[in-house]
Amino acid sequence: MYDISMHKAQPVQYMERTRLYYEAQGFERAYQWAQHDEVPFTPLNKPLKESRVAIVTTGARYDRLLTDPRFVDSGDISELPSHLFARDLAWDKEATHLNDLGSYLPVRVLQKLAADGHIHSVTPRFHCLPTEYSQRRTRETDAPEILERCQEDRADLALLVPL
């Protein structure tokens, strides 16, 4: 039997690592975490078992370098890629990996939930939301684009899967 108490692993300090990552890149201002005094979420209009679910991930369908432009992208769930890309993002690449597509693009799991009657269906596309330093760009450009695409797919809700 595996006893986790035998290991002295510490939790990954993502917030501190992110702050240091942006500082090391030379940004003039320290990273400011988003804060919303009013949460922009709403309750479901119908039961989950009657709802169509969209998937939004921060992985990309194309391999980006740190300096490459980032944009909203969508892919067909009937033609899933073998993997998504995120080497340009700040995440602990020693403690984890991107080898398990289902962990950050859980299409198959949602399709099984639909087949079992827990949700109505999955939208025909998944959506890739770029991770941006600019909260303004995310709020004013990328998020509205994701919302529009989810509405085109007649999604009732979106499952957000950040890397």
Side-chain angles (χ1 to χ4, degrees), residues 8-19:
K8 305 220 186 259
Q10 296 296 314
V12 176
Q13 301 296 319
Y14 283 105
M15 293 180 83
E16 178 64 10
R17 283 187 176 199
T18 301
R19 186 189 65 72

Side-chain angles (χ1 to χ4, degrees), residues 21-22 25 27 58-71 84-93 98 129-133 163:
Y21 174 80
Y22 283 108
Q25 290 185 60
F27 287 98
T58 55
R61 293 192 318 141
Y62 59 98
D63 196 7
R64 305 177 297 213
L65 297 176
L66 190 58
T67 56
D68 288 345
R70 298 175 182 181
F71 54 86
L84 295 179
F85 298 94
R87 69 181 177 154
D88 61 316
L89 300 179
W91 52 280
D92 190 341
K93 295 171 181 77
L98 295 178
L129 176 67
T131 302
E132 285 289 340
Y133 182 76
L163 289 174

Side-chain angles (χ1 to χ4, degrees), residues 105-151:
L105 189 64
V107 172
R108 301 284 183 244
V109 171
L110 288 175
Q111 289 173 326
K112 173 84 168 97
L113 289 172
D116 292 347
H118 298 289
I119 63 173
H120 182 269
S121 60
V122 183
T123 59
R125 299 183 295 176
F126 65 91
H127 307 287
C128 300
L129 176 67
T131 302
E132 285 289 340
Y133 182 76
S134 170
Q135 293 176 31
R136 182 178 44 79
R137 177 173 172 191
T138 299
R139 188 176 51 252
E140 296 175 6
T141 303
D142 297 337
E145 178 68 21
I146 289 288
L147 176 60
E148 182 178 324
R149 291 177 188 216
C150 287
Q151 289 172 334

Side-chain angles (χ1 to χ4, degrees), residues 50-64:
E50 297 174 15
S51 298
R52 183 175 233 195
V53 180
I55 302 171
V56 179
T57 182
T58 55
R61 293 192 318 141
Y62 59 98
D63 196 7
R64 305 177 297 213

